[in-house]
Amino acid sequence: MRHLARLADYCSITNMHTKNLAIVWAPNLLRSKQIESACFSGTAAFMEVRIQSVVVEFILNHVDVLFSSKLSSVIRDGAGASS
């Protein structure tokens, strides 16, 4: 994810800002067996992919916070405290 976020830094050259990167990469990063099955209609599949791309775009826009060592230690400490 950090790599994709770094690619977005060059959006003025590549036109691949976080939204475009999310559209391209979301179906691979958040693969859904339901979309791949024949029971999903075209409209439902489109909505599912749209949701996936919004999630990936959010992650790319907040990669520094979501993948920081400080957040990881808070999560790890919080998980240990609840056991």
Side-chain angles (χ1 to χ4, degrees):
M1 293 309 269
R2 286 184 180 137
H3 176 70
L4 292 177
R6 278 194 300 268
L7 286 176
D9 291 340
Y10 296 96
C11 66
S12 62
I13 299 166
T14 64
N15 200 32
M16 291 301 286
H17 44 81
T18 55
K19 185 172 186 163
N20 285 345
L21 288 167
I23 290 168
V24 171
W25 283 96
N28 292 306
L29 294 172
L30 301 176
R31 183 167 231 133
S32 172
K33 291 181 182 182
Q34 294 162 335
I35 291 176
E36 294 172 1
S37 71
C39 66
F40 247 65
S41 70
T43 304
F46 175 75
M47 291 304 294
E48 184 77 14
V49 170
R50 186 170 180 266
I51 292 167
Q52 289 173 342
S53 68
V54 168
V55 169
V56 171
E57 184 179 3
F58 176 84
I59 293 170
L60 290 175
N61 285 326
H62 299 91
V63 74
D64 292 336
V65 174
L66 294 172
F67 296 101
S68 72
S69 59
K70 184 176 181 180
L71 180 63
S72 297
S73 66
V74 168
I75 292 170
R76 194 173 36 251
D77 294 342
S82 64
S83 354

